[in-house]
Amino acid sequence: MTPLARRRLLAALPLVLVLPGCTSEPEAPPPPDPLAALAEQARKDAAAADAVAKAAPDLATLAGDVAKARTEHARLLQAEVDRERPPASTAPSATSTAPPPAAGTKATLVEALKAAEQKSAELVPSVSRYRAGLLGSIAAGCASLREVLT
């Protein structure tokens, strides 16, 4: 091989290494974190429980306990979402911007807790052990709150 041919080969080598990177498809973004939807629902449940506590003085203590528990569930779920997929900015975690819920009833709280329990339990087999433990705890908490309300 002549020195000129060797130089051409060495000059073309970086192009051969760079071209595959230029032509490959970009990675698809990851799917939404399923825990993010649960965190948003927990925030809505807490707001609904607060509305029930204000509208029905006889349920104020129980509804207040539900609101506190669901607020804590939302905080824990959001912390796990942020741990798994850190937010791009340093802004605080997303919160619900929906208008405050209309005053519900004890029955609507029970149904919301039942739905949260079922959704949490459904996700347990499809997540990591740590997340499964978190979801199991939340499902159990919702079940116990539901029993207290009924």
Side-chain angles (χ1 to χ4, degrees), residues 5-98:
R6 195 174 315 143
R7 285 183 190 154
R8 285 185 181 165
L9 179 64
L10 290 175
L13 188 60
L15 289 175
V16 172
L17 296 174
V18 171
L19 282 177
C22 294
T23 60
S24 64
E25 292 291 322
E27 278 190 39
D33 193 323
L35 271 60
L38 291 177
E40 178 63 24
Q41 188 59 49
R43 284 188 284 274
K44 289 178 182 177
D45 292 350
D50 276 336
V52 168
K54 291 174 184 169
D58 58 324
L59 293 175
T61 303
L62 289 175
D65 290 343
V66 170
K68 287 178 194 172
R70 292 302 282 154
T71 298
E72 183 64 11
H73 292 167
R75 187 190 68 76
L76 292 170
L77 287 164
Q78 191 63 52
E80 175 57 18
V81 168
D82 292 345
R83 183 194 68 81
E84 185 77 18
R85 298 179 186 167
S89 69
T90 57
S93 299
T95 57
S96 177
T97 58

Side-chain angles (χ1 to χ4, degrees), residues 58-66 69 106 109-110 113 117 140-150:
D58 58 324
L59 293 175
T61 303
L62 289 175
D65 290 343
V66 170
K106 183 169 135 178
L109 283 181
V110 169
L113 289 169
E117 176 188 353
C142 289
S144 64
L145 288 168
R146 189 170 43 85
E147 286 297 316
V148 168
L149 281 173
T150 55

Side-chain angles (χ1 to χ4, degrees), residues 34-35 117-133 135-136 139:
L35 271 60
E117 176 188 353
Q118 290 172 344
K119 288 178 186 175
S120 296
E122 287 171 3
L123 284 175
V124 167
S126 65
V127 296
S128 68
R129 287 182 187 176
Y130 174 78
R131 285 178 155 214
L135 291 173

